[in-house]
Amino acid sequence: MNWRRYLPHRLSSQLLLFIGIAVTLAILLVSTVFTYQSVKRERAQINENIQFLVKNIEAVSAALILSKDVEALESVLLLNAKFPLVDGILIVDTKNRVLSEVIKVDGFPEPLFTNKTTIPHLAEEALDTATGKTAEANWKNDFLPPDVQLENWYPIQAGSWLASIRIRYSLTELHDRTARQWRHTLLYAMTAALANFFMLVLMLRTPMRVLQQTTAFAEHLSEHIGEQTTIYHGTQEFYALGNALNVLSVQLQYQRQTMDEQLAHTQAILDNVVDGIITIDSLGTIRSFNQAASRIFGYVEDEVIARNIRMLMPEPHRSAHDGYLKNYADGGAAKIIGIGREVEGMRKDGSLFAMDLAVSRALDHDELIYIGIVRDISERHRLDRLKSEFVSTVSHELRTPLTSIHGSLKLLEGGVAGALPDAAIKLVSLAQKNSQRLILLTNDLLDMEKLAAGKMSLQLSQVDLLSIVKQSILDNGGYGLNYQVQYVLGAHPQSCLVIADAARVPQILANLLSNAAKFSGDSHQVDIRIILRDGKARVQVEDHGPGISNEFQGQIFGAFAQDNNGNTRQQGGTGLGLKITKSLVIAMQGEIGFDTKIGNGSIFWFDLPLATSEAKEQAERRMDIAP
């Protein structure tokens, strides 16, 4: 009987490990309970403080509300708003009109003057001001209170209901304090775990030496299959490990036999994939070339193996390729590796073709190699050209008859052929409006085709942006009146010269102004501002409508993008205006974007470079600018 396998040191090691885990869990449990109770006490104290603050305000403000002494009421709110955690106090009367409101700005209470109405939410639960929903009381919030702003409504009564008071307060300080407690808890647990780990290392020193010897044999076994190791009988685990290694030595012989079959199977897969797969070393020498790559480039494998990958590239990429590989190996930025892009390849017969190239890197026996996956996209390009030519041809052919139809309908609507019956007038008006819409769509499609093909020429020069904005407001004023919307020019500099195309900036403004009018909601004003910042002029067009839904924000600059927000005042459009606008702004070396808030409108903006001497020189050197 081998009594050594029952030595107590194996059990003691397990016991020490169990103690280490138990101590760590105990510290975590005690710290968790302590932190949890601390958070609950602080939350309860905050609620008591808010109740106390409300009672103080209610006791003083009732008489002031009855006497309609708003100034004194404001002083009361300013004094109480200094209370810690409080972000704002609001009092509304029984008709939901704001009597007085105080908010904290940079830590100091300030009065806020407004004539809006606010409907009280007289419920016991606090509301999250960010979402407008009831703040949930769940176990997660008990462990780590959220970093949010809450509000509570309370009635003010003096025999009858006089008004309602809203207290807004922040849990940021409690959130930060609780987070620090949790970090300390984790630190204590980690310290205990490290201490127990140190003890275990001391106890397992001898078994670890045996493990190192076994590991050394396993490394030796990789090159000397079939050899056997000496089995250590000190512990059951090492005895089993020794036996397992001896069995593994036998199994490796069988695995080596099957490895060649697997390699052949993998090579068969590579040879039959549709995409070309090419591997090269760090010097650009071709290491492998599958059959799909042979079909794409026209070379057989023997013609390219051990030759430089440059033979598959046209100039100037052929001359620059070695320098690119060296730059990347020296730590430079990757232009294709790990990114992928469309490039031009050269076949054996010298013909060029478009291809998608994706390159990744790998290690082969500690040697850096690059794996390129190539796909011939010549046919896709041909189809894209056919589609572009079709859209361009159809748009050109449609524009002339549509213009004629629109003009004729306009004349009929104006009575040139005599008075028409009411029913006929309605039909002619409808046809006239839809013909105008088709003309706009045709023009937008032609612009899109020119932008996509890089055929739209921009004449960049020094232009007066302020004059263009003012003229655009006048030109689009009639359109705004259709929606009962007035364009108002707000903050702007006395003069503003930018580098842009004087004919295209009004087109950009017309798209933004028309969109703002259509989506102005119940507001009757669209604000326009010009701001100078960082060597650029920013034009802002702000509406006060419903804002842009979260689902649509990522698509707003796409082609044929229209948000179905339920606005009954919105009329049809092509859905291409913002796509064209973005392309024009980018072509003029500018930027475009938007800021929106659901229920509070949107601000669309675009930046153009100011007319500095350097910018003017660059514009003079650029005759045609493609998007």
Side-chain angles (χ1 to χ4, degrees):
M1 181 177 179
N2 188 0
W3 57 271
R4 286 179 294 183
R5 68 176 60 185
Y6 299 105
L7 286 176
H9 74 272
R10 179 172 64 89
L11 295 177
S12 63
S13 299
Q14 296 179 357
L15 181 61
L16 284 173
L17 179 61
F18 172 79
I19 293 174
I21 296 174
V23 169
T24 303
L25 291 177
I27 293 175
L28 278 174
L29 179 61
V30 172
S31 301
T32 300
V33 172
F34 174 78
T35 305
Y36 175 79
Q37 293 297 333
S38 176
V39 172
K40 293 203 68 173
R41 285 196 300 270
E42 292 197 36
R43 287 291 295 271
Q45 185 62 47
I46 290 174
N47 291 333
E48 290 179 6
N49 292 342
I50 295 298
Q51 294 285 347
F52 175 76
L53 178 64
V54 170
K55 289 180 180 179
N56 284 344
I57 297 175
E58 181 180 8
V60 178
S61 62
L64 298 178
I65 294 173
L66 289 172
S67 63
K68 299 182 178 180
D69 191 347
V70 177
E71 184 174 356
L73 182 61
E74 180 180 291
S75 299
V76 171
L77 296 189
L78 285 171
L79 179 62
N80 286 274
K82 298 179 180 179
F83 197 85
L85 304 179
V86 173
D87 290 334
I89 305 174
L90 170 72
I91 295 181
V92 298
D93 61 15
T94 56
K95 295 182 179 180
N96 301 331
R97 295 174 300 190
V98 176
L99 296 178
S100 182
E101 183 176 5
V102 172
I103 62 173
K104 273 187 180 176
V105 179
D106 296 330
F108 297 96
E110 293 183 6
L112 182 64
F113 303 99
T114 179
N115 56 3
K116 65 180 181 180
T117 60
T118 301
I119 301 175
H121 181 79
L122 297 176
E124 294 183 359
E125 298 84 6
L127 291 179
D128 187 340
T129 60
T131 63
K133 297 180 180 180
T134 301
E136 297 182 1
N138 52 41
W139 65 270
K140 294 181 180 178
N141 293 342
D142 287 337
F143 275 92
L144 183 61
D147 183 7
V148 298
Q149 185 187 60
L150 303 178
E151 68 179 33
N152 284 86
W153 285 89
Y154 304 91
I156 298 178
Q157 299 176 346
S160 62
W161 183 23
L162 297 179
S164 301
I165 180 172
R166 183 188 71 190
I167 305 293
R168 282 187 173 175
Y169 55 97
S170 174
L171 296 181
T172 300
E173 183 178 344
L174 178 60
H175 173 87
D176 295 341
R177 190 161 55 250
T178 305
R180 286 195 299 272
Q181 291 182 359
W182 282 117
R183 286 195 293 270
H184 293 160
T185 298
L186 293 176
L187 179 62
Y188 298 150
M190 290 176 61
T191 302
L194 289 174
N196 282 278
F197 176 77
F198 180 72
M199 294 175 61
L200 287 172
V201 169
L202 293 178
M203 297 299 298
L204 296 175
R205 181 179 300 175
T206 300
M208 288 297 292
R209 282 199 297 267
V210 176
L211 181 60
Q212 290 174 355
Q213 295 173 359
T214 306
T215 302
F217 169 74
E219 294 175 350
H220 176 76
L221 185 63
S222 62
E223 298 179 357
H224 300 82
I225 297 175
E227 293 188 6
Q228 300 289 301
T229 183
T230 302
I231 297 178
Y232 174 71
H233 296 275
T235 62
Q236 183 178 359
E237 289 81 4
F238 286 112
Y239 176 79
L241 179 60
N243 281 333
L245 286 174
N246 289 333
V247 172
L248 178 62
S249 178
V250 177
Q251 292 178 343
L252 284 176
Q253 288 183 322
Y254 170 76
Q255 292 178 357
R256 175 175 288 180
Q257 295 173 358
T258 60
M259 186 178 298
D260 293 338
E261 297 176 2
Q262 293 176 353
L263 289 175
H265 178 69
T266 302
Q267 187 63 43
I269 294 175
L270 292 175
D271 289 339
N272 288 278
V273 295
V274 176
D275 295 333
I277 301 177
I278 307 170
T279 60
I280 63 174
D281 59 21
S282 57
L283 298 178
T285 304
I286 298 175
R287 301 272 294 272
S288 68
F289 199 77
N290 72 339
Q291 293 182 8
S294 295
R295 290 194 300 270
I296 293 173
F297 289 96
Y299 291 97
V300 297
E301 185 178 10
D302 293 341
E303 291 178 314
V304 297
I305 293 297
R307 297 185 62 183
N308 197 284
I309 193 69
R310 293 193 307 268
M311 65 185 297
L312 306 178
M313 302 176 184
E315 293 291 354
H317 307 295
R318 174 180 296 186
S319 300
H321 184 262
D322 288 347
Y324 168 63
L325 282 179
K326 185 177 185 305
N327 177 67
Y328 179 75
D330 293 340
K335 296 182 179 179
I336 296 181
I337 298 172
I339 302 173
R341 67 176 183 180
E342 181 180 319
V343 297
E344 203 172 35
M346 186 173 68
R347 294 189 175 94
K348 182 179 180 180
D349 59 7
S351 61
L352 305 182
F353 67 99
M355 65 181 187
D356 276 338
L357 174 62
V359 182
S360 60
R361 67 175 190 171
L363 290 177
D364 182 16
H365 295 87
D366 296 330
E367 180 185 1
L368 180 64
I369 63 171
Y370 301 97
I371 305 170
I373 300 178
V374 177
R375 175 171 295 179
D376 188 346
I377 57 174
S378 302
E379 181 64 17
R380 188 174 76 190
H381 274 208
R382 187 183 70 84
L383 294 176
D384 287 343
R385 285 195 300 271
L386 288 175
K387 180 186 69 174
S388 177
E389 291 171 0
F390 173 77
V391 172
S392 176
T393 302
V394 170
S395 300
H396 277 291
E397 294 297 328
L398 284 177
R399 184 159 59 175
T400 299
L402 281 174
T403 303
S404 177
I405 292 171
H406 176 69
S408 300
L409 291 172
K410 194 71 175 179
L411 291 174
L412 286 175
E413 187 181 24
V416 70
L420 297 176
D422 292 341
I425 291 176
K426 291 182 180 179
L427 292 175
V428 171
S429 177
L430 178 61
Q432 185 270 332
K433 290 179 180 177
N434 280 281
S435 66
Q436 176 66 23
R437 184 178 179 186
L438 284 174
I439 291 173
L440 292 175
L441 176 59
T442 302
N443 291 334
D444 283 349
L445 285 173
L446 286 173
D447 283 346
M448 285 295 298
E449 190 273 333
K450 290 179 181 178
L451 288 166
K455 298 178 180 179
M456 180 172 286
S457 298
L458 299 182
Q459 301 299 324
L460 296 187
S461 61
Q462 179 176 292
V463 298
D464 188 346
L465 180 61
L466 179 58
S467 297
I468 294 177
V469 170
K470 289 181 178 179
Q471 186 62 43
S472 295
I473 292 175
L474 292 176
D475 294 342
N476 291 275
Y479 185 88
L481 292 179
N482 293 333
Y483 296 91
Q484 299 180 354
V485 169
Q486 181 181 10
Y487 298 120
V488 177
L489 179 60
H492 63 276
Q494 294 298 320
S495 63
C496 183
L497 299 178
V498 296
I499 299 298
D501 188 318
R504 293 297 178 178
V505 175
Q507 181 180 355
I508 294 171
L509 287 167
N511 282 330
L512 297 183
L513 291 175
S514 61
N515 279 348
K518 288 190 292 185
F519 293 95
S520 60
D522 296 329
S523 174
H524 299 291
Q525 180 172 316
V526 171
D527 297 313
I528 300 97
R529 294 179 290 273
I530 304 176
I531 302 171
L532 303 183
R533 47 190 284 179
D534 300 329
K536 297 179 181 180
R538 171 166 292 189
V539 179
Q540 295 180 339
V541 178
E542 180 179 8
D543 65 69
H544 304 282
I548 303 170
S549 63
N550 294 329
E551 297 79 8
F552 185 66
Q553 290 179 18
Q555 313 168 28
I556 195 164
F557 287 110
F560 303 104
Q562 289 181 315
D563 189 10
N564 182 18
N565 61 1
N567 184 0
T568 59
R569 298 174 62 193
Q570 177 185 353
Q571 295 186 0
T574 65
L576 295 173
L578 288 178
K579 173 71 172 178
I580 295 172
T581 297
K582 182 176 181 179
S583 298
L584 290 174
V585 171
I586 293 175
M588 289 187 279
Q589 311 302 308
E591 297 181 44
I592 188 170
F594 67 94
D595 302 300
T596 187
K597 188 173 183 181
I598 303 300
N600 289 326
S602 305
I603 300 176
F604 279 83
W605 54 264
F606 65 92
D607 294 340
L608 293 174
L610 291 174
T612 61
S613 57
E614 180 181 354
K616 285 188 285 187
E617 291 175 1
Q618 292 177 354
E620 291 171 355
R621 291 195 299 268
R622 298 177 65 90
M623 297 300 294
D624 295 332
I625 298 181

